[in-house]
């Protein structure tokens, strides 16, 4: 899954693709690199990010979805806003990716009566403050329980189990130890039976390991994506598609 951020403030590529034409061109280059799907987002959720209004997010996201709807790969829209979820699905989005796990009032209902997939991500707290004091008794058990309960809530409003995707939410209200434990134990998430999405690309947990700035985390990101897939991830959300594809191709060749 290639990341298309139509934002001025995303942590790794903020401002680069804010213009609709630039975002669409970037999306097409990710497809040419081998992205099997794209995730279009109009609101940064990095630690400390400020929320954007519905109008602004809509203005960023919908024209990009409309321009790419026939691009040949499924489109995911990264949003927490029920109105935009509905509009994105109507515009042809195949998945809604919600870092808030469809907890906003009306979010589940906005997508339930469509055929779109729903990606439920775990986070603790809100982006503005989530990295201040993340705390868990047992991070793996708590995140598993949370995702199980959100999947049950979706199924209770009529969403078929085969439309669900789950994501432990790396970096969203988690310390380094929490993130590493979740990556190490990712197989337990896959064992729940829903496809697991892992978003590790260029994140600060990789900066902490390597000592590298965000623009220099490609190798670490590729390693992390490969480990995630080996541990059961079905989808890896990445900025560096070509490099990730190559690493996965090597792994696949050996496996097969
Ligand atoms: N991470 C980011 C955004 N959306 N969605 C899911 N399901 N999982 C993730 O790990 C995830 C996500 C943060 O990355 P990015 O989009 O590159 O930055 P920003 O939030 O600053 O736009």
């Amino acid at each position: 899954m290639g990341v298309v951020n139509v934002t001025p403030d995303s942590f790794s590529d903020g401002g680069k693709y804010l213009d609709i034409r630039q975002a669409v061109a970037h999306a097409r280059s990710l497809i040419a690199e081998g992205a099997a799907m794209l995730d279009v987002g109009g609101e940064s959720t990095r630690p400390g990010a400020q929320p954007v209004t519905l109008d602004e997010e809509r203005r960023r996201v919908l024209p990009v979805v409309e321009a790419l709807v026939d691009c040949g790969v499924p489109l995911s829209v990264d949003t927490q806003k029920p109105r935009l979820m509905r509009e994105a699905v109507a515009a042809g989005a195949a998945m809604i990716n919600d870092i808030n796990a469809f907890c906003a009032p009306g979010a589940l209902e906005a997508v339930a009566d469509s055929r779109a997939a729903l990606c439920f991500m775990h986070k603790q707290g809100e982006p503005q403050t989530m990295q201040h004091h993340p705390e868990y008794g047992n991070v793996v058990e708590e995140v598993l329980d949370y995702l199980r309960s959100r999947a049950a809530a979706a199924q209770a409003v009529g969403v078929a189990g085969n439309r669900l995707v789950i994501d432990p939410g790396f970096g969203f209200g988690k310390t380094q130890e929490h993130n590493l434990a979740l990556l190490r134990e990712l197989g337990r998430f896959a064992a729940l039976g829903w496809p697991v999405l892992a978003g590790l690309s260029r994140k600060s947990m990789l900066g902490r390991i390597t000592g590298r700035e965000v623009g220099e985390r490609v190798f670490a990101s590729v390693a992390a994506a490969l480990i995630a897939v080996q541990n059961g991830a079905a989808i890896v959300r990445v900025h560096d598609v070509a490099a990730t594809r190559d690493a996965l191709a090597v792994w696949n060749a050996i496996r097969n």
Side-chain angles (χ1 to χ4, degrees):
M1 170 190 264
V3 179
V4 181
N5 282 324
V6 199
T7 55
D9 55 345
S10 286
F11 76 95
S12 76
D13 53 6
K16 275 175 88 175
Y17 314 113
L18 186 56
D19 178 85
I20 305 303
R21 273 167 315 170
Q22 285 172 321
V24 171
H26 179 58
R28 292 197 189 284
S29 74
L30 295 179
I31 296 169
E33 288 182 28
M37 64 190 302
L38 297 174
D39 191 38
V40 181
E43 178 176 50
S44 173
T45 49
R46 70 183 158 72
Q50 292 302 315
V52 299
T53 63
L54 171 64
D55 276 350
E56 177 61 18
E57 195 178 336
R58 178 193 272 145
R59 200 185 59 71
R60 293 176 186 174
V61 167
L62 287 182
V64 175
V65 172
E66 284 158 8
L68 291 171
V69 74
D70 294 321
C71 69
V73 304
L75 301 178
S76 160
V77 169
D78 189 340
T79 185
Q80 310 178 48
K81 296 188 177 67
R83 278 285 291 279
L84 186 54
M85 291 177 184
R86 221 178 258 285
E87 292 168 4
V89 169
M95 182 163 96
I96 299 296
N97 169 28
D98 184 1
I99 64 141
N100 196 30
F102 300 84
C103 288
L108 279 177
E109 293 74 12
V111 190
D113 59 3
S114 70
R115 293 173 58 197
L118 295 82
C119 178
F120 290 83
M121 198 198 78
H122 173 275
K123 67 175 168 51
Q124 186 180 86
E126 296 306 320
Q128 290 88 328
T129 53
M130 66 190 177
Q131 289 306 109
H132 291 183
H133 296 290
E135 250 184 67
Y136 300 84
N138 180 322
V139 66
V140 174
E141 297 299 338
E142 286 174 41
V143 176
L144 280 166
D145 279 351
Y146 176 80
L147 292 173
R148 253 191 234 110
S149 77
R150 294 308 300 150
Q155 288 171 298
V157 299
V159 178
N162 64 6
R163 290 171 55 198
L164 307 183
V165 173
I166 57 171
D167 179 348
F170 292 102
F172 285 84
K174 280 130 192 147
T175 64
Q176 188 75 346
E177 286 312 311
H178 298 144
N179 287 319
L180 295 175
L182 290 166
L183 183 52
R184 201 179 295 123
E185 304 273 337
L186 206 62
R188 300 209 33 216
F189 292 82
L192 294 179
W194 298 293
V196 172
L197 186 153
L200 293 146
S201 187
R202 302 186 186 175
K203 284 191 176 169
S204 42
M205 65 180 278
L206 304 177
R208 264 180 233 118
I209 295 169
T210 59
R212 293 196 186 275
E213 292 305 318
V214 65
E216 302 173 334
R217 294 179 191 158
V218 179
F219 305 122
S221 299
V222 169
L226 184 56
I227 293 163
V229 173
Q230 286 181 322
N231 286 359
I235 305 170
V236 277
R237 184 182 180 278
V238 305
H239 301 87
D240 304 290
V241 171
T244 310
R245 287 281 313 208
D246 281 1
L248 294 176
V250 172
W251 182 61
N252 266 324
I254 292 162
R255 232 172 29 126
N256 297 331

